[in-house]
Amino acid sequence: MKSRLVSHPIVAHLALAAALTLGLMTTYNRWTPETWAVPVCPLEWDALFLEGHVKSYEEGAVWAFGSKIIPRLNAPYQANWNDFPNIDPLFYSAIGYLARLTGRGLALNLAFLLSVLLAGAGFYGATRLLGYKRLLSLPLAFAFASLPHFFDRNVAHAMILAAWWMIPLELALISKCLLASRLFTRRWLMGSFLAGVALGTTFPYIAYAGAQLAGFALLATLFRRQWDKARLFGAGLAGIAAGFVLIHSDSFLYWLSHGTSVCVAKIATDAKLFAAQLPGFLLPDRCRIGFVDAWTQKHFWNNGVAGPSDHNYLGLLAIAGLCALLFVTLRNLWARRLAPPTPFWQVLWFLLYSLAGGVNLLLATLGLTLFRETGRYGMVIAAIALLFLCRQLSRARLGKWSAPVALLLLGVAIFDQFPAPKTAESIAALRETRRADADFFQKLEAALPAGAMVFNMPVTPTPDFLLHYTDGRRDFEWMRAYVLTDKLRFSFGTNRGRGAEMWQLALAGRPEGLPSWHNASQNEREILRHDTKGVPPQILAERLSLYGFSAVLVDRLAYSKPDDLLASLRDAGLEPLDFGHPRFTAFRLPENPRRSTPPPYLTTGDGFAEQVRNPQNGIWQMEAPGGAGELKITHFLPEPMRMELEFHAAALEARHLVVEGLEEPLALDLPARQLVPVRAAILLKPGVNRLRLKSEPAAGAAPGNPIIAVFAPNFTPPVWDTPPPE
């Protein structure tokens, strides 16, 4: 007699949803409305990244298919988030609009819960499509939706988790189509295309995994000359591509209008650093059995072998499914009657693709490095393994043992995969930290004029700029200032690659293109720690006031000697705005009746072999061994602007120098080893401008050393009186 619990599909789904909800509430100790309003993870790292994007939709700055310009960031300009099509705008917008009704903390927690419930429903729906036993399908669906990947990523990566439910369904549909004997009509082709579109609009990692599964099925049908099925899978692949282009049309259209950013792709070293490792799939980073936990910690997690992306443990049930798959494959090969089952080839491909040194890293060496963290594909392997285990158990003649086996599966999933419950003290600590941050930023916002500009220290031009803190490396840290305020404008926040963020580095005396912490030299690390090195606080305050900033905001945790920095800012005459926060301090800047903009940012282009800046006196030195070079001048404003350009030029031997790109071409003679001052007007258009310097031997002089040098280029932006208030 079948259990009434699973006799109806709706009842089964409700039972599964109730079990998963109860499991999450127990794990995260969320039993009251107050605890549900606190996100399940600290406000740091990728959680800040997610919440920042949600905030942009919540306050109406952007919408899913529109341009991603954030007016409150990269002050005094705007932040450009159009360049990186690696997010799920539909998911972000849904949470943002929900946050208007429920508050952001509750909306984030509900999004995480929904991603878990969808994963369970997707897996259970896949087992029903394949005709597996309901009673055995439910605990395995519970196991898939409670994989450690969900707990490790939680709210911080909710945009990834929200789409995993599609993978089991795709696996089931592929299996059904490969085994079908019918011919597929145009209606089936259209359905396959639309399903692909839905998958393509999800987070790119999931869309890419779905494309690999569909591509594998397409190759299999082409090899078997099953042309009808090949068209079906081809339609699905086309749909995934169309969905990806549709959901990221804003970025693609932006690239067509403005060119591709130089920083869109991930670097190949990331593909190596974040590649999956086989022990990470098989060994838990936490285990309730003491001696097992001690062994795995000693031999993998704490001995330097584990990488930053190894928290992708498959769980005992998925590992059991892999063992069953391996056994069936070996049995088939031994009997020489049947080929290895399709799941075997699917698992083999994703292992070859994702493991360190695999196909993904090979693609990265060729420049295709958009997908770096291949450990995430452990979720695909787990889905394949759990579906295969469900198939084998459904085929077994368990009879009256079905219910005990289902309970055993459920017990193993809970024991093996669920972490220890959060304590009330940990939740209270999260709530208190968030309350203290919110209280500080609300007081700061109340103390400054509406829409006031705040300069962030340390200088963090882009949201993901990796800085060294006293307790480790971090990025996205200044995003908390954005998510916890409503009107203030901040200096950080635009995507890198187009130069719009470089004015901050020039202002603070930092070199162009400063690498992340783990790639920085010792000198660059010192600059990372002390970003105003060489710029006295008094001069910094005068410049910021001239640019229209109202305050400086200091994160003391980012400085090795924060008290010295705070003292120097007070000595410069800045008024402290101390609201008693253990980490943040603000200073009010003096008002300036006049206004200007930060000067354009200058970098070298073709022809210049060196670009050196003395951090003590700000002098640039650029050498062009070929006698010609190019300077790239990034202008940040959306309108053209006329400025005065000053520099000194010199040559080892007498040269004739022509400067192109000014309002009027400039020609002058350079005596040997003498500095010649140059002052000229230049009309800068928005974006990158190019100043070309060409030299040849002076008239009547013998050919000499072609090296020319340009010293201390300086721009003088116009200064105007502040317009009277309306």
Side-chain angles (χ1 to χ4, degrees):
M1 181 177 179
K2 291 185 177 181
S3 171
R4 187 177 180 181
L5 178 65
V6 295
S7 61
H8 194 281
I10 295 180
V11 176
H13 279 288
L14 289 177
L16 177 61
L20 289 170
T21 303
L22 183 62
L24 288 187
M25 291 176 67
T26 302
T27 300
Y28 292 104
N29 200 357
R30 259 59 181 180
W31 298 102
T32 65
E34 291 78 15
T35 56
W36 270 97
V38 181
V40 299
C41 65
L43 190 61
E44 60 187 17
W45 287 97
D46 287 350
L48 281 167
F49 171 80
L50 169 65
E51 193 161 351
H53 280 274
V54 170
K55 176 71 172 182
S56 68
Y57 288 94
E58 180 186 352
E59 66 182 11
V62 298
W63 61 285
F65 294 96
S67 178
K68 306 299 188 296
I69 299 296
I70 315 299
R72 293 211 292 124
L73 300 182
N74 196 36
Y77 312 109
Q78 294 179 325
N80 174 13
W81 288 2
N82 284 291
D83 271 323
F84 292 83
N86 60 354
I87 57 176
D88 191 338
L90 290 179
F91 179 79
Y92 286 138
S93 59
I95 305 179
Y97 300 144
L98 178 62
R100 297 181 184 181
L101 303 175
T102 65
R104 202 178 316 120
L106 178 57
L108 290 169
N109 283 337
L110 290 176
F112 175 44
L113 173 62
L114 179 61
S115 67
V116 172
L117 297 182
L118 284 174
F123 188 94
Y124 183 71
T127 63
R128 299 311 305 140
L129 281 173
L130 296 171
Y132 299 158
K133 291 182 179 179
R134 295 180 188 272
L135 192 57
L136 298 171
S137 299
L138 282 173
L140 293 177
F142 180 90
F144 178 74
S146 58
L147 284 169
H149 183 82
F150 282 93
F151 296 107
D152 290 328
R153 304 290 175 164
N154 56 65
V155 165
H157 280 182
M159 71 281 192
I160 304 176
L161 305 179
W164 280 122
W165 66 275
M166 291 188 174
I167 295 301
L169 285 174
E170 184 184 13
L171 288 167
L173 291 171
I174 287 174
S175 179
K176 293 280 288 186
C177 293
L178 288 176
L179 296 175
S181 58
R182 61 179 296 174
L183 293 177
F184 296 102
T185 63
R186 291 184 179 179
R187 183 176 299 179
W188 279 91
L189 291 175
M190 181 56 65
S192 178
F193 177 81
L194 293 178
V197 170
L199 183 57
T201 59
T202 62
F203 192 81
Y205 273 89
I206 288 85
Y208 187 39
Q212 292 179 74
L213 288 170
F216 177 83
L218 175 61
L219 291 176
T221 53
L222 290 174
F223 179 78
R224 300 170 185 174
R225 298 184 180 182
Q226 297 171 330
W227 313 121
D228 190 49
K229 295 179 181 180
R231 286 194 294 270
L232 187 70
F233 293 123
L237 272 175
I240 293 173
F244 183 85
V245 172
L246 173 66
I247 200 63
H248 301 300
S249 57
D250 53 334
S251 291
F252 297 141
L253 291 174
Y254 189 83
W255 293 349
L256 288 175
S257 302
H258 301 84
T260 305
S261 170
V262 297
C263 295
V264 172
K266 301 293 184 181
I267 58 176
T269 53
D270 279 356
K272 174 185 176 183
L273 181 66
F274 291 94
Q277 298 185 45
L278 189 58
F281 288 147
L282 303 178
L283 301 178
D285 62 325
R286 55 178 182 267
C287 183
R288 297 180 188 273
I289 303 175
F291 74 90
V292 175
D293 185 68
W295 191 91
T296 57
Q297 295 298 326
K298 176 182 179 180
H299 293 284
F300 183 66
W301 292 104
N302 290 335
N303 67 355
V305 177
S309 182
D310 272 317
H311 296 269
N312 297 285
Y313 173 56
L314 301 179
L316 285 177
L317 294 180
I319 293 173
L322 289 178
C323 292
L325 178 59
L326 181 61
F327 172 79
V328 171
T329 301
L330 293 176
R331 185 188 63 187
N332 291 353
L333 293 175
W334 180 264
R336 297 183 180 180
R337 292 177 299 177
L338 298 173
T342 300
F344 170 80
W345 298 113
Q346 292 170 330
V347 170
L348 180 62
W349 164 251
F350 276 99
L351 286 176
L352 292 175
Y353 179 83
S354 61
L355 291 180
V359 175
N360 188 64
L361 186 57
L362 177 62
L363 294 176
T365 62
L366 301 177
L368 304 175
T369 53
L370 287 175
F371 303 97
R372 57 170 187 165
E373 197 165 339
T374 51
R376 294 169 178 169
Y377 289 136
M379 289 290 292
V380 184
I381 297 173
I384 298 170
L386 289 171
L387 283 174
F388 188 81
L389 180 63
C390 192
R391 186 190 83 163
Q392 296 302 105
L393 291 174
S394 297
R395 291 180 176 181
R397 298 179 179 179
L398 297 177
K400 63 181 181 180
W401 293 100
S402 295
V405 169
L407 289 175
L408 176 63
L409 295 174
L410 181 63
V412 170
I414 295 174
F415 179 83
D416 177 51
Q417 297 177 188
F418 275 72
K422 301 291 183 182
T423 63
E425 291 75 16
S426 66
I427 299 175
L430 282 177
R431 185 192 300 115
E432 177 57 28
T433 300
R434 194 176 183 90
R435 185 208 60 77
D437 289 350
D439 182 66
F440 172 85
F441 286 109
Q442 288 170 6
K443 290 179 179 179
L444 178 63
E445 194 158 29
L448 299 175
M453 294 193 301
V454 179
F455 186 77
N456 301 91
M457 294 178 62
V459 170
T460 312
T462 63
D464 58 344
F465 197 84
L466 195 62
L467 289 171
H468 180 76
Y469 280 72
T470 55
D471 58 351
R473 293 180 289 116
R474 299 185 183 184
D475 54 7
F476 299 114
E477 278 300 300
W478 275 129
M479 197 71 84
R480 74 182 67 245
Y482 172 61
V483 303
L484 295 175
T485 57
D486 296 314
K487 301 295 183 182
L488 293 180
R489 300 175 61 196
F490 298 96
S491 58
F492 88 101
T494 195
N495 278 338
R496 61 192 184 279
R498 296 190 184 273
E501 76 283 5
M502 291 302 183
W503 69 271
Q504 301 172 65
L505 302 182
L507 175 68
R510 293 167 64 167
E512 177 221 359
L514 198 65
S516 58
W517 178 262
H518 62 279
N519 290 328
S521 66
Q522 185 61 39
N523 181 58
E524 290 166 338
R525 291 186 181 189
E526 286 301 313
I527 299 173
L528 280 167
R529 287 194 183 99
H530 310 286
D531 54 32
T532 56
K533 189 174 183 179
V535 180
Q538 182 64 47
I539 296 177
L540 180 69
E542 292 174 357
R543 291 177 180 175
L544 292 175
S545 297
L546 183 64
Y547 300 157
F549 282 88
S550 298
V552 172
L553 179 60
V554 179
D555 184 352
R556 301 194 299 274
L557 193 62
Y559 294 90
S560 57
K561 297 180 179 179
D563 293 338
D564 293 348
L565 174 63
L566 300 183
S568 65
L569 292 174
R570 284 192 295 267
D571 293 343
L574 275 65
E575 174 192 351
L577 297 173
D578 191 356
F579 303 122
H581 195 278
R583 176 175 175 181
F584 300 110
T585 300
F587 292 86
R588 192 192 305 272
L589 289 165
E591 293 187 10
N592 192 326
R594 299 173 68 79
R595 286 289 179 269
S596 184
T597 62
Y601 193 70
L602 180 71
T603 58
T604 57
D606 296 337
F608 280 98
E610 296 184 14
Q611 175 179 312
V612 181
R613 181 170 183 165
N614 189 320
Q616 301 301 321
N617 55 24
I619 299 297
W620 289 80
Q621 174 181 316
M622 291 160 286
E623 296 183 354
E630 180 182 80
L631 301 180
K632 293 190 293 185
I633 308 165
T634 303
H635 176 50
F636 311 117
L637 293 177
E639 305 87 15
M641 181 174 290
R642 184 180 185 274
M643 296 187 182
E644 295 292 326
L645 171 65
E646 299 177 79
F647 63 91
H648 288 76
L652 294 180
E653 304 292 343
R655 309 285 292 180
H656 180 71
L657 179 67
V658 176
V659 183
E660 299 176 349
L662 302 169
E663 284 193 340
E664 297 182 2
L666 177 67
L668 67 157
D669 293 319
L670 300 179
R673 302 178 184 274
Q674 292 187 26
L675 286 176
V676 176
V678 178
R679 183 182 180 91
I682 182 172
L683 182 65
L684 298 177
K685 68 179 187 302
V688 177
N689 299 260
R690 287 175 168 79
L691 197 66
R692 290 170 294 278
L693 290 80
K694 302 178 181 179
S695 72
E696 57 185 20
N705 194 317
I707 291 179
I708 62 170
V710 181
F711 294 88
N714 179 49
F715 293 93
T716 305
V719 178
W720 57 89
D721 293 331
T722 303
E726 297 181 0

